Amino acid sequence: MNFQGNRRRGEDGIAMVIDFLLSNARLVLGVGGAAMLGIATLAVKRLIERAGRAADDEKVEQKMAESWEELSLVSASPTLIKKGIEGVVMKHVAKAAKQQKADLCQQPQMSALEVQSKPESKSKRLQLCVVTPQERLLQYYHTRAALAPHEVRRAQALALDICTEIQGFMHSRHPDMPLGEMNLGGSLLDDLQVVSADHACLLVPLQLEASLWRLIPGEETLLTHPLHWMVRRVNLEYFPRGRSYWDRYLVGGYLSAEAVVNMFNKAVMETINWPSISSTLDCLVRPVLGGPDLRLEIRPEKEKEEADGSQPLFISVLPLLREEDVALTAQPELTSPWVNAWHLSLYPWETQRLVQLDATDDGRRKLMLKILKAVCRLNPALRPLEAAPLANLILHLSDSESDWSESSLDVRFQQCITELIGYLEQEALHSYFKPAVNLLSGLSDDQVDQMGFMLYCAVSEPEILLI
């Protein structure tokens, strides 16, 4: 009873400090401070819980040592010391925890001889360090990130089969529609897909008459968004409406991306005999209806799916406009509510730049990108981070760091974590090719806080991201 009373007084003291700090953490401390306050709170909570659960066969002092070891990790980050957050958070938390420790130490304890007779437990860090950080990263890449060659070949073959079926159907049903050669694109083709080969991109190039259409950069449009381009119909006085096949999809003098997507939805998704194609390919092929994008779902036969654990493959059908190195895609989910806006895809530029840099210095930037993508995909807290911010993170870091050899992967990985924390603090990661674009603008405050918490933990223990 005496122990429980002391424990309750200690909890009250901590609760008063934590309640106040948590209620004002985001406002006063920012993302980093709020994240570290969460770590400190968790450490103190474990301190209380472990001490309270200690039975006669448990050593209270040993439990205290473990909890204080975890609490010490909070102040391990040099970034916190430099920013002064440690002085704001740890001063109050450590004071309350110290009082709790003093209360607990007043209770009857086992003799010092009995405590010393049990060897000290090894720290978690020593238990995990069976390989070097560089070896751990490569191990994670080969076991979690990299795809099996047969899995890639299977997904590519299915996507190409679907491509052939759609192109043949369009040529027979809409022979007058000016389309280029459909082809496979995206991360599956560029060896940038990780964890599982579960999505592919089918590019459908639209052919426009150069004298009748003009692609307008996003900065020159009324939208003033660098990624929202428009396609204007020109020379109407010499070539009236109807001279171009695509004139039927004009809205206000501009080629409407939404109208084009709706046309393909009716002409492809709702018209093709998918059961017949499914029987030909020995798998279930069906359109994913109801969304703003054009997607197909491909599932293997039920017996085969259960036998080898094959995953469904999703194929996005993407209408595309190309002019020199500019690629515009019809993606209403990215340009809504503007029906006339086309999305400028920076993916080809980013991928090409990574390949060029790796070819110049025999670097491993693409490998690092795949590791980061796998980490974010497999970690629930980091899942909102998509491929684009991670690719641009590496491109920005490449401007200041030239050594991307395999031997320096662990150093670059640690730097990527640190740099990402800084971008989350600012709530801005600007595109490498379009600095006006903030690649973190789609994240909510709660998502930023959760990612900040996880990454701050990884500063001291990067292994938690490689589980």
Side-chain angles (χ1 to χ4, degrees):
M1 293 298 293
N2 186 31
F3 171 81
Q4 293 293 340
N6 287 334
R7 180 171 177 265
R8 176 58 57 190
R9 287 195 298 271
E11 284 181 344
D12 292 341
I14 296 175
M16 291 173 61
V17 175
I18 298 304
D19 287 344
F20 173 78
L21 290 177
L22 285 178
S23 63
N24 297 277
R26 174 77 179 178
L27 178 63
V28 177
L29 304 177
V31 176
M36 292 313 300
L37 179 57
I39 301 173
T41 306
L42 179 62
V44 175
K45 180 182 177 183
R46 288 181 180 176
L47 172 68
I48 298 171
E49 290 177 349
R50 285 177 175 169
R53 289 196 305 264
D56 293 339
D57 59 338
E58 299 280 341
K59 310 291 190 297
V60 176
E61 196 65 31
Q62 181 182 349
K63 293 290 182 179
M64 292 287 297
E66 292 179 1
S67 294
W68 281 101
E69 180 183 352
E70 290 181 0
L71 185 58
S72 68
L73 292 178
V74 179
S75 59
S77 171
T79 305
L80 287 183
I81 298 175
K82 186 165 59 178
K83 288 178 175 290
I85 299 176
E86 183 188 23
V88 178
V89 181
M90 294 304 298
K91 176 181 178 181
H92 298 286
V93 176
K95 181 179 179 181
K98 184 178 180 181
Q99 178 62 40
Q100 175 67 12
K101 184 179 180 183
D103 290 340
L104 292 175
C105 290
Q106 293 175 1
Q107 306 309 313
Q109 299 182 17
M110 304 185 72
S111 65
L113 181 61
E114 291 176 342
V115 173
Q116 294 175 0
S117 64
K118 185 175 182 179
E120 288 187 13
S121 60
K122 294 181 180 180
S123 67
K124 297 177 182 178
R125 186 189 296 266
L126 291 178
Q127 292 174 2
L128 288 173
C129 286
V130 294
V131 293
T132 65
Q134 176 198 344
E135 292 171 336
R136 181 71 184 94
L137 279 172
L138 293 175
Q139 181 188 53
Y140 181 85
Y141 170 75
H142 291 295
T143 58
R144 306 302 297 275
L147 300 179
H150 69 87
E151 186 181 1
V152 176
R153 288 194 297 268
R154 167 189 167 272
Q156 289 181 346
L158 281 174
L160 289 175
D161 287 340
I162 294 295
C163 176
T164 302
E165 294 289 343
I166 294 178
Q167 183 151 323
F169 176 83
M170 295 299 293
H171 282 170
S172 62
R173 293 291 296 270
H174 304 277
D176 58 334
M177 184 182 296
L179 296 176
E181 193 72 20
M182 299 183 188
N183 57 85
L184 189 64
S187 59
L188 185 64
L189 182 67
D190 297 325
D191 188 29
L192 285 174
Q193 200 159 133
V194 297
V195 182
S196 63
D198 56 4
H199 63 279
C201 189
L202 178 58
L203 304 178
V204 185
L206 278 58
Q207 293 182 338
L208 300 179
E209 299 87 347
S211 60
L212 302 183
W213 302 93
R214 181 192 166 201
L215 276 55
I216 305 176
E219 296 88 346
E220 299 178 13
T221 67
L222 295 175
L223 307 180
T224 66
H225 192 295
L227 297 183
H228 291 176
W229 284 45
M230 300 180 75
V231 182
R232 178 189 294 164
R233 176 67 158 87
V234 296
N235 292 330
L236 283 170
E237 61 275 17
Y238 302 108
F239 303 98
R241 185 167 177 168
R243 293 293 297 269
S244 173
Y245 177 89
W246 302 108
D247 283 343
R248 64 193 72 182
Y249 305 109
L250 282 174
V251 175
Y254 296 89
L255 181 61
S256 171
E258 186 176 278
V260 171
V261 169
N262 291 338
M263 178 272 292
F264 274 100
N265 191 43
K266 293 178 181 179
V268 177
M269 300 299 174
E270 299 178 5
T271 307
I272 291 183
N273 188 348
W274 296 114
S276 175
I277 295 178
S278 298
S279 61
T280 302
L281 300 179
D282 293 328
C283 57
L284 176 62
V285 182
R286 59 188 179 189
V288 181
L289 302 177
D293 56 343
L294 306 172
R295 276 202 307 162
L296 295 170
E297 180 185 6
I298 304 177
R299 287 186 175 273
E301 295 178 341
K302 194 167 185 180
E303 296 78 8
K304 187 177 181 181
E305 183 177 3
E306 294 175 352
D308 58 10
S310 299
Q311 298 294 321
L313 174 68
F314 291 91
I315 298 180
S316 297
V317 181
L318 211 57
L320 177 75
L321 295 175
R322 279 202 183 101
E323 186 177 280
E324 297 180 352
D325 63 339
V326 173
L328 303 182
T329 58
Q331 293 179 274
E333 67 273 18
L334 299 179
T335 56
S336 178
W338 317 109
V339 298
N340 288 343
W342 291 70
H343 177 73
L344 173 64
S345 177
L346 300 179
Y347 172 81
W349 299 356
E350 296 161 355
T351 305
Q352 183 180 11
R353 180 60 178 166
L354 286 173
V355 172
Q356 289 176 345
L357 290 172
D358 280 347
T360 301
D361 56 16
D362 194 27
R364 296 293 183 270
R365 293 171 182 83
K366 281 184 62 176
L367 188 144
M368 176 60 69
L369 176 58
K370 294 173 73 172
I371 292 176
L372 291 175
K373 287 176 65 174
V375 165
C376 292
R377 179 167 177 176
L378 297 174
N379 190 307
L382 301 178
R383 199 163 292 159
L385 274 177
E386 299 179 347
L390 300 176
N392 283 268
L393 169 69
I394 293 176
L395 290 176
H396 285 302
L397 190 56
S398 295
D399 287 342
S400 58
E401 298 292 345
S402 58
D403 184 9
W404 288 84
S405 61
E406 191 171 287
S407 60
S408 64
L409 278 180
D410 56 326
V411 179
R412 298 288 88 83
F413 181 73
Q414 193 76 24
Q415 277 186 304
C416 285
I417 295 176
T418 305
E419 291 291 318
L420 194 51
I421 291 174
Y423 290 127
L424 289 173
E425 283 279 1
Q426 303 169 15
E427 297 187 9
L429 198 171
H430 298 287
S431 169
Y432 187 81
F433 293 101
K434 292 285 184 179
V437 177
N438 178 14
L439 299 173
L440 300 181
S441 61
L443 299 177
S444 66
D445 289 346
D446 186 55
Q447 289 173 331
V448 171
D449 288 340
Q450 290 182 18
M451 286 188 284
F453 175 84
M454 177 58 64
L455 293 172
Y456 264 115
C457 292
V459 169
S460 298
E461 296 288 345
E463 295 87 355
I464 66 175
L465 298 180
L466 305 176
I467 298 174

